[in-house]
Amino acid sequence: MTDVVVVESPAKAKTINKYLGDGYTVLASFGHVRDLPPKDGSVRPDENFAMDWQADERGMRQITAIARALRGAKRLYLATDPDREGEAISWHVRAMLEEKNLLRGIDVQRVTFNEITKGAIKTAMGKPRALDQPLIEAYLARRALDYLVGFTLSPVLWRKLPGSRSAGRVQSVALRLICEREAEIESFKPREYWTVLAHLATPAAAPFTARLTHMGGRKLDQFDLNNEALAHAAKAAVEASVFSVASVERRRVKRNPPPPFTTSTLQQEASRKLGMGAQATMRAAQQLYEGIELDGETTGLITYMRTDGVQMAREAVDAIRTHIHSAIGVDYLPAHPREYSTKAKNAQEAHEAVRPTDVARRPEDLGRFLSDEQRRLYDLIWKRAVASQMQSAELDQVAVEVGEPAGRIKLRANGSIVAFDGFLKLYSEGRDDKESDDDNRMLPPMREGDPLERRQVDADQHFTQPLPRFSEASLVKKMEEIGIGRPSTYASILTVLRDRDYVRLENRRFIPEDRGRLVTAFLTSFFERYVDSGFTAGLEEQLDDISDGRADWRDVMAKFWADFNHAIGQTRDLKISDVIEALDTELGAHFFPEPEGGGDPRRCTACGTGRLGLKLGRFGSFIGCSNYPECQYTRRLVVDGREGEGGETLKEGRRVLGAHPDTGEEITVKRGPWGLYVQQGEPNPEDKKARVRRSTLPKGVEGDSMTLDQAVGLLSLPRIVGIHPELGEPMEAGLGRFGPYVKMGAIFASLDPDDDVLSIGINRAVDVIGKKLASVRSLGAHPKDREPVMVRRGRFGPYVQHGQMIANVPRDRTMDDVTLDEAVALLAEKGKPMKPRGKRGTKVPAKAAARKAAPTPAPKKPAPPKRVSPKHAARKPTPRKSAKASPTSP
């Protein structure tokens, strides 16, 4: 008879089972075991925010395993992570077991630990507690909020702004920060200014430089020398003067060490120093927390990594101070331990800072046990924690003022040197901005009155610079400063923005996509309050009040929903023309920047008289001419002048190439909202069923240089390349949605961008298909519908496929072993629908697939009773659960 312990991950379960021994069975929940179904009605405000929960196949499997282990057990220990999400997972596990009446006579306890070490686990098991109800209610409020915002606001976006994705409560605010920073950069007007720098030497011939600060007895402001003439006049005045040292000011300053890491500062520093994104940082930190096998035993190397606290346990501080004394030196140990408190808005400080579980495990000793990412991150965490308890660094700062006898011209030189390195011996904090050269420059010895030799004088031109785009580090810092998001959500917020193609990362900086700017403009125009950082931060404070037991979660939800539902109702009569007008006004300066040579940036280049503006089509936004339909000029939604890449030329919007040699129909190349294409003939308004042949232009082909022969070739695709010399099947070449390809039977293989789909020969086609055949094999036609059955090599082993049905091949069978009859039997017995696909041959991740499926309304069924019992609810179809399976991702 054993007690049962439930943790989140199998790696953690394995480690803790070793620590606790044979008297315990440790199982993993694999994260959340159930979630809100991604459909309307999962949260019902009219029923006091009643919520329906649904477990997926994996969740049910884990609950079944836990239920089986509980037979004969006396106690159930819920040992999920020590934060809000961990508390929620424990609550879900208990609730599902209670619904099945499986907890009669079983004592359910909650245990938490901040590190996965034998001592910490034993201590935690000796101090069980009840589930934290306020923390659970805070989770319920957050989940309901995110669901209601996503499932109420997203449909408004889809209806009023075609082509847009989903909206979320917190990521919409983060997107607004990125878009507003980009707008500031675009509207920024650089200002010219000059500096004058004199190269001087002391009586001992030691060189140094000094900057001009005073002219004519007056201190210079930044823009006093704002052109070349003024700068050269100032330079001449300096060249005509004789200088000496007017004053020397020395002072010693202390620089204190930064506190140990919180989640946000860890993500920021890993981005600055290691070039690791927030998601990669948290993945490596999770691995270090859950444990690494050292000499046959799995041991957690760092404390829990989702935290906003900067304090460390007393025993950890004592161990670090002992290490500093013995390994670094007594001079580097302050007289008293350092105490830290966080400055972040809304910080809970419920957990320790991120630190090593044992300071004696030095990074250089563990390198062979860790991956490169793990090693570098552990080194960063270890050094930061140790440095936080070291002596302050001391710097000698020197300021020298240089003047001429009349005192009308003054120059200044600054320098700084490290007198005592202190914590800098081990760790130096990264910065988003560049340090001044004066921060690390040492000046030569000099005294007041020393004559100086003037050697060279330089006048340098400068221009003011806008604020830089957000990096992952600076965006996380900004979100923390204004109080939006929480330690567990920073990484997912940034990931969601990229997954929805609202932003992209270039040179580790966020650039908003035009789709993201449209969504932000729409939300700020019609839902300004709900993408306001102040409102979102205030809502976060209310959620924190719930977790601390100071507020009722249903009261907070009721107040929010009343206002939000009213705002949604006001958009029901919103016309598309109103949306276009608002977006055109908001984003006009972005899409139509002033030309360098002057003129109207909105003048249509095709007809010369129309005005270009934002248009909304069935599939999204584009730019069109006001003279439509007489002028059919359109272009993709990009800034004018940037569309030249990838065949996006064709200034007139339409070009006639000639007549088709066989049919005599006119061949034209045109610009559509989504790019350039060639067309054969024109649509017949009297015969709507007649289809006009069209083909997109391959990447790299320009509309202005397209020839008639090329166009005819594209319109004839797909074409037969030849017969496969070994298999005897015809091979085709074509141009699909995702680029050029070759096809043989049911097997598709992508061509390289450099391949010319119009001239590719048999040898190249055989080579490309041969590589594809290494991972795909056709077995023949299915006996029922004669559709092809194939066996493919997948990530987790081979599987058979028939249409949209797949089934895994038994582990003792290889791809070459599988026969058609065996595949048909496997599909009949174990077949399941495959996930939706993205690019040809590439599965869409489950989360993206679920998100894509979210807006599709459920089939109509007979009206169910208002309340559904858990027993009947379990019989409902179970969609794949995902934290981002809906537009409600936090």
Side-chain angles (χ1 to χ4, degrees), residues 229-477:
L230 291 173
H232 280 246
K235 174 186 175 183
V238 172
E239 290 174 330
S241 302
V242 177
F243 294 103
S244 62
V245 177
S247 65
V248 179
E249 179 184 347
R250 292 184 175 87
R251 61 175 184 151
R252 176 162 290 193
V253 296
K254 288 188 174 183
R255 185 182 296 178
N256 294 322
F261 283 128
T262 62
T263 302
S264 67
T265 54
L266 175 61
Q267 292 174 1
Q268 293 169 44
E269 198 73 338
S271 175
R272 297 186 193 110
K273 289 194 165 187
L274 308 181
M276 292 173 62
Q279 202 77 13
T281 299
M282 297 310 291
R283 181 176 58 247
Q286 180 85 35
Q287 293 162 355
L288 294 172
Y289 165 69
E290 292 187 346
I292 302 295
E293 189 166 325
L294 304 175
D295 298 325
E297 183 172 299
T298 303
T299 304
L301 298 184
I302 64 170
T303 54
Y304 191 54
M305 64 286 160
R306 293 186 181 92
T307 175
D308 53 18
V310 290
Q311 69 280 5
M312 293 192 292
R314 176 55 57 192
E315 56 269 22
V317 172
D318 292 343
I320 289 174
R321 286 176 59 82
T322 300
H323 175 83
I324 294 170
H325 184 278
S326 60
I328 303 178
V330 66
D331 292 339
Y332 292 88
L333 184 68
H336 303 287
R338 292 186 179 276
E339 302 288 343
Y340 293 97
S341 60
T342 187
K343 297 179 181 178
K345 191 175 182 180
N346 296 336
Q348 298 286 285
E349 299 193 87
H351 313 302
E352 281 190 75
V354 184
R355 61 166 177 83
T357 55
D358 186 351
V359 72
R361 297 192 186 98
R362 299 179 303 174
E364 54 267 31
D365 298 332
L366 299 181
R368 60 194 176 97
F369 300 105
L370 307 176
S371 68
D372 182 62
E373 278 191 347
Q374 292 169 348
R375 176 187 57 77
R376 293 191 297 150
L377 193 66
Y378 181 72
D379 180 76
L380 196 68
I381 294 169
W382 189 92
K383 288 180 177 178
R384 175 89 166 214
V386 174
S388 71
Q389 289 299 319
M390 290 176 67
Q391 189 64 271
S392 300
E394 296 183 7
L395 293 82
D396 283 335
Q397 293 183 345
V398 181
V400 177
E401 191 170 277
V402 175
E404 44 87 38
R408 295 180 61 79
I409 297 178
K410 293 181 181 179
L411 300 92
R412 189 175 181 86
N414 295 306
S416 175
I417 60 171
V418 176
F420 173 66
D421 54 3
F423 75 93
L424 294 175
K425 181 181 181 71
L426 188 66
Y427 182 85
S428 177
E429 188 173 27
R431 293 173 58 166
D432 290 316
D433 54 342
K434 294 182 179 179
E435 294 189 23
S436 168
D437 292 338
D438 293 341
D439 290 343
N440 295 293
R441 183 175 68 154
M442 184 170 65
L443 294 176
M446 61 186 91
R447 292 178 300 179
E448 187 175 329
D450 280 355
L452 301 172
E453 176 190 354
R454 175 182 44 76
R455 294 181 172 175
Q456 179 183 335
V457 181
D458 298 325
D460 298 317
Q461 184 186 37
H462 310 277
F463 291 92
T464 54
Q465 298 293 319
L467 287 170
R469 293 185 174 104
F470 284 110
S471 63
E472 286 203 355
S474 57
L475 183 59
V476 168
K477 183 179 181 181

Side-chain angles (χ1 to χ4, degrees), residues 117-140:
T117 59
K118 196 168 188 176
I121 301 301
K122 294 281 189 182
T123 301
M125 295 298 288
K127 297 179 180 179
R129 62 168 173 82
L131 283 171
D132 189 330
Q133 190 60 30
L135 208 55
I136 294 167
E137 292 176 354
Y139 160 79
L140 294 174

Side-chain angles (χ1 to χ4, degrees), residues 14-37:
K14 183 178 178 181
T15 303
I16 293 174
N17 222 146
K18 287 182 180 179
Y19 292 157
L20 295 178
D22 296 336
Y24 296 87
T25 298
V26 186
L27 299 172
S29 70
F30 288 86
H32 279 282
V33 291
R34 64 180 186 178
D35 198 4
L36 295 170

Side-chain angles (χ1 to χ4, degrees), residues 671-724:
R671 184 200 306 279
W674 315 116
L676 299 180
Y677 63 94
V678 289
Q679 177 174 304
Q680 178 179 337
E682 293 294 334
N684 184 355
E686 297 180 359
D687 186 3
K688 295 183 179 180
K689 293 183 178 180
R691 299 189 65 181
V692 176
R693 290 189 67 85
R694 296 185 179 95
S695 175
T696 58
L697 266 62
K699 186 176 181 181
V701 177
E702 297 184 354
D704 288 327
S705 60
M706 166 68 67
T707 66
L708 177 62
D709 288 343
Q710 286 177 311
V712 171
L714 289 174
L715 290 166
S716 68
L717 294 176
R719 67 182 182 88
I720 298 294
V721 177
I723 304 298
H724 196 286

Side-chain angles (χ1 to χ4, degrees), residues 62-198:
Q62 297 311 116
I63 289 296
T64 300
I66 294 169
R68 191 181 303 118
L70 282 172
R71 293 171 186 166
K74 290 185 177 181
R75 280 175 290 274
L76 170 63
Y77 293 97
L78 300 171
T80 47
D81 286 344
D83 59 5
R84 182 187 65 249
E85 289 299 310
E87 205 74 19
I89 292 171
S90 290
W91 174 75
H92 280 303
V93 170
R94 186 185 68 176
M96 290 182 71
L97 292 171
E98 284 177 340
E99 289 170 3
K100 295 175 179 291
N101 295 317
L102 296 173
L103 294 181
R104 291 179 180 176
I106 295 177
D107 183 22
V108 181
Q109 299 282 359
R110 174 83 166 107
V111 294
T112 59
F113 34 82
N114 200 44
E115 59 187 68
I116 302 178
T117 59
K118 196 168 188 176
I121 301 301
K122 294 281 189 182
T123 301
M125 295 298 288
K127 297 179 180 179
R129 62 168 173 82
L131 283 171
D132 189 330
Q133 190 60 30
L135 208 55
I136 294 167
E137 292 176 354
Y139 160 79
L140 294 174
R142 285 179 182 275
R143 197 67 194 90
L145 270 174
D146 293 334
Y147 172 90
L148 290 172
V149 170
F151 271 86
T152 309
L153 185 54
S154 294
V156 176
L157 266 180
W158 299 329
R159 289 195 305 270
K160 308 299 183 182
L161 194 62
S164 60
R165 302 286 178 87
S166 306
R169 182 176 63 87
V170 180
Q171 67 261 25
S172 295
V173 183
L175 177 61
R176 182 181 183 181
L177 292 174
I178 296 171
C179 292
E180 288 182 343
R181 175 63 59 86
E182 193 71 17
E184 291 173 13
I185 293 171
E186 289 175 348
S187 63
F188 182 81
K189 304 295 184 185
R191 293 185 64 183
E192 180 183 6
Y193 68 98
W194 291 70
T195 57
V196 176
L197 200 67

Side-chain angles (χ1 to χ4, degrees), residues 598-738:
D600 183 3
R602 288 180 179 258
R603 186 179 67 85
C604 178
T605 57
C607 67
T609 60
R611 182 179 186 273
L612 298 180
L614 192 67
K615 309 291 181 183
L616 291 179
R618 180 180 177 186
F619 301 106
S621 308
F622 63 96
I623 289 171
C625 178
S626 60
N627 285 339
Y628 177 86
E630 288 77 14
C631 177
Q632 297 190 7
Y633 176 86
T634 60
R635 75 165 190 254
R636 290 187 304 141
L637 201 61
V638 293
V639 178
D640 195 14
R642 299 183 192 171
E643 82 250 54
E645 298 181 6
E648 287 302 311
T649 55
L650 200 65
K651 298 291 186 292
E652 302 304 318
R654 182 178 185 273
R655 177 170 162 247
V656 178
L657 299 178
H660 195 284
D662 297 332
T663 67
E665 292 174 294
E666 187 178 69
I667 305 296
T668 53
V669 57
K670 298 183 176 183
R671 184 200 306 279
W674 315 116
L676 299 180
Y677 63 94
V678 289
Q679 177 174 304
Q680 178 179 337
E682 293 294 334
N684 184 355
E686 297 180 359
D687 186 3
K688 295 183 179 180
K689 293 183 178 180
R691 299 189 65 181
V692 176
R693 290 189 67 85
R694 296 185 179 95
S695 175
T696 58
L697 266 62
K699 186 176 181 181
V701 177
E702 297 184 354
D704 288 327
S705 60
M706 166 68 67
T707 66
L708 177 62
D709 288 343
Q710 286 177 311
V712 171
L714 289 174
L715 290 166
S716 68
L717 294 176
R719 67 182 182 88
I720 298 294
V721 177
I723 304 298
H724 196 286
E726 296 177 3
L727 302 176
E729 295 188 47
M731 298 178 293
E732 293 181 357
L735 188 63
R737 180 182 177 188
F738 301 107

